[in-house]
Amino acid sequence: MLPQEFLDRMKQMLGEEYPAFLESYEKERYQALRVNPEKGSCEEFLKKAPFTLQPVTWESNGYYYDGQDTPGKHPYHEAGVYYIQEPSAMAPAAYLDAQPGEKILDLCAAPGGKSTQIAAAMHGQGMLISNEIHPSRAKVLSENIERMGIVNAVVTNETPQALAGMFEAYFDRIMVDAPCSGEGMFRKNADACDEWSMDNVHLCAQRQLEILECAATMLCPGGRLVYSTCTFAPEENEGSVSRFLERHPEFSICKVEHFPGMTSGVPAWTEHPAPRIEDTIRLFPHKIQGEGHFLAVLEKEGSVQENYRGFCANGREKTVAERDVEAYAAFCHDYLKKKFSGQLIRFGEQLYLAPADMPSLKGLKVLRPGLHLGTLKKNRFEPSHALAHALRSEEVRYSWDLPGDSREIRDYLSGQTFPAEGEKGWYLITVDGYSIGWGKQAGNLMKNHYPKGLRIPFSGV
């Protein structure tokens, strides 16, 4: 049951379009996935995928899948070949237009859809800080960053205010997918209806402005900020953007391409509309194949010199020389063909690969300071599950492929060993060529190193 106060407001907003809007709630919602280009091309995936797929207009790696398909239960999902994501939610990160080599912040990042989409556009180059204020959600974010094989992301669990105190005019681009009243998700999530109230709309609008204030501090001159919500409420959309711009005249709204079905922001829906508020974008479920969303692309005036770095309160993170971690160097020599770029960071026995020139994160809550390479044990190195996801079969000395539709891959994901003849040592296990974990060959047997906490019991093929 949709809240009556919500319906009354939507009827006033939409006028003659209201019946079509209401009718959309009687229809099946659209479901989509986004292919991970770091695992392989879309063309390659489309040849292998056992799903019915149609492209999402505004995201080149996005595809709708049929309601009868269950991609979340396929081994490809565990391999990070794709991320299941609501189609409208793919739009904001597409408009952020992330570029390789940039410094980018996703300020409200959990569960990781937009962060992994941004990372895909960066192709492992530059630095992405993915932040989430809630600890449990930050953990899920970190797990999704790992599953998608992202090598240049740092996951933090901080308040926007704490980050703003650390970074000043530092990031080239910032994504603010702000906490909101969730009206656009009513069809997807029935619980959102029960939690809705106009009081919550007001509270969200206030919180959004506080978050945007922090983002403004951290964006460098000439940088791009994308603000998005999954609500229809004008107070949280045109209203939040207009109030922010009134306080920050150094920002302006960018005019960007609208894809078919997208509509413009409406000046009349807020009391003091900002200039060009009509250049913001709304997504309505009766007009597009997706749920309700809003986004605004903002740019900060000014420009920076080529070697501009911005300000970080703690300076740069100290690196560890490879000669000081001999066991890792020996592992790379024996089993890897790929040479990673970045800097090594050690926390006790744990070794990470951080983005080059990474700022010191001292004083911040950090869940993942880059790619977890593995564990340094006495006279040996044990590679991490995250490292397996970050590699391809051609980048390792030994690999072992299991068919995606086989009992063997399901046995592997459930933690079982399997017969395997070959050279002793570490093998990258793949499913139809996509990396999914580690195995270690010894005595004609492939020992299973798929993490116990991720193992899936299967009852059949």
Side-chain angles (χ1 to χ4, degrees):
M1 294 290 292
L2 296 173
Q4 188 59 50
E5 195 172 4
F6 163 75
L7 292 174
D8 292 342
R9 193 200 67 212
M10 294 307 299
K11 185 175 183 179
Q12 183 180 14
M13 286 169 59
L14 295 176
E16 62 182 21
E17 289 186 22
Y18 177 71
F21 170 78
L22 203 58
E23 186 181 348
S24 71
Y25 284 85
E26 304 299 322
K27 299 177 181 179
E28 288 286 329
R29 66 184 182 89
Y30 291 91
Q31 301 180 83
L33 58 82
R34 182 172 38 75
V35 178
N36 180 5
E38 296 306 293
K39 290 281 185 171
S41 68
C42 288
E43 292 75 17
E44 178 185 347
F45 171 73
L46 292 173
K47 292 176 183 177
K48 299 177 180 179
F51 316 124
T52 302
L53 300 170
Q54 296 294 329
V56 174
T57 310
W58 45 84
E59 167 51 49
S60 60
N61 296 316
Y63 294 89
Y64 296 98
Y65 62 85
D66 191 271
Q68 305 303 313
D69 292 326
T70 55
K73 296 181 179 179
H74 196 279
Y76 286 178
H77 181 267
E78 306 310 311
V81 179
Y82 47 74
Y83 188 102
I84 296 174
Q85 188 176 17
E86 197 282 310
S88 294
M90 298 181 189
Y95 280 100
L96 188 68
D97 194 27
Q99 299 296 316
E102 292 182 327
K103 299 189 296 292
I104 299 178
L105 171 65
D106 187 356
L107 193 49
C108 314
K114 293 175 178 64
S115 271
T116 56
Q117 188 177 355
I118 292 166
M122 297 176 76
H123 299 296
Q125 302 172 46
M127 179 182 65
L128 170 64
I129 293 184
S130 299
N131 180 71
E132 172 57 42
I133 190 172
H134 300 289
S136 60
R137 286 170 55 81
K139 185 175 182 293
V140 174
L141 167 64
S142 184
E143 291 168 352
N144 281 323
I145 293 288
E146 175 178 293
R147 182 173 61 86
M148 301 299 278
I150 296 168
V151 301
N152 61 326
V154 175
V155 180
T156 57
N157 171 213
E158 276 297 349
T159 65
Q161 290 78 8
L163 291 175
M166 185 71 69
F167 300 102
E168 183 178 339
Y170 186 84
F171 295 99
D172 299 296
R173 299 174 197 262
I174 298 179
M175 168 65 66
V176 177
D177 184 38
C180 68
S181 57
E183 295 174 1
M185 295 294 114
F186 283 173
R187 184 167 63 167
K188 178 182 177 183
N189 180 10
D191 291 341
C193 295
D194 298 331
E195 297 168 359
W196 183 89
S197 70
M198 280 305 299
D199 285 342
N200 190 40
V201 169
H202 301 326
L203 182 63
C204 288
Q206 180 181 342
R207 186 183 301 128
Q208 289 154 4
L209 191 56
E210 293 170 356
I211 294 171
L212 282 169
E213 287 288 340
C214 295
T217 297
M218 294 185 280
L219 190 68
C220 74
R224 171 172 287 200
L225 187 159
V226 171
Y227 171 79
S228 70
T229 71
C230 57
T231 188
F232 303 114
E235 185 175 352
E236 301 178 67
N237 294 337
E238 291 94 343
S240 284
V241 171
S242 295
R243 286 188 294 276
F244 171 73
L245 292 177
E246 185 178 6
R247 297 172 66 167
H248 289 275
E250 73 274 21
F251 280 84
S252 59
I253 299 172
C254 297
K255 185 175 180 62
V256 291
E257 175 187 8
H258 285 40
F259 289 90
M262 292 182 176
T263 60
S264 299
V266 180
W269 287 351
T270 190
E271 188 174 356
H272 300 290
R276 294 167 54 183
I277 197 69
E278 64 276 7
D279 288 333
T280 60
I281 295 175
R282 280 183 169 269
L283 289 81
F284 285 103
H286 64 293
K287 288 180 170 290
I288 52 98
Q289 296 180 346
E291 304 306 307
H293 239 76
F294 171 88
L295 68 93
V297 181
L298 309 176
E299 283 192 356
K300 192 174 185 179
E301 67 181 9
S303 60
V304 297
Q305 297 178 351
E306 185 176 347
N307 296 322
Y308 179 86
R309 293 188 180 276
F311 174 77
C312 176
N314 290 337
R316 298 185 196 176
E317 190 69 51
K318 293 181 179 178
T319 188
V320 176
E322 195 167 297
R323 63 178 177 273
D324 295 329
V325 283
E326 293 181 357
Y328 168 68
F331 172 85
C332 292
H333 177 270
D334 293 342
Y335 299 111
L336 300 188
K337 297 179 182 178
K338 178 176 182 175
K339 178 72 173 177
F340 285 103
S341 60
Q343 60 186 88
L344 296 176
I345 298 176
R346 182 173 181 174
F347 292 92
E349 293 183 331
Q350 305 307 315
L351 188 66
Y352 290 83
L353 181 77
D357 297 324
M358 191 178 89
S360 172
L361 302 176
K362 182 180 179 182
L364 296 178
K365 298 172 188 173
V366 181
L367 274 70
R368 183 176 295 273
L371 173 65
H372 184 210
L373 295 171
T375 305
L376 293 160
K377 299 189 175 181
K378 188 175 181 180
N379 299 324
R380 65 187 178 92
F381 174 80
E382 186 166 304
S384 72
H385 187 59
L387 178 58
H389 276 297
L391 292 166
R392 299 192 186 198
S393 56
E394 63 268 22
E395 296 171 339
V396 298
R397 194 171 300 278
Y398 306 122
S399 64
W400 194 283
D401 192 52
L402 301 171
D405 58 356
S406 69
R407 179 60 183 256
E408 287 78 11
I409 184 60
R410 285 157 175 77
D411 286 346
Y412 173 75
L413 291 174
S414 66
Q416 298 184 40
T417 59
F418 57 87
E421 294 184 2
E423 296 291 330
K424 293 182 179 180
W426 290 100
Y427 280 68
L428 183 67
I429 308 300
T430 60
V431 52
D432 293 339
Y434 298 118
S435 60
I436 198 167
W438 291 108
K440 196 172 187 182
Q441 205 279 350
N444 296 328
L445 191 69
M446 189 69 73
K447 295 182 178 179
N448 195 311
H449 281 261
Y450 198 74
K452 292 181 179 179
L454 298 178
R455 291 177 182 177
I456 306 169
F458 287 96
S459 58
V461 176

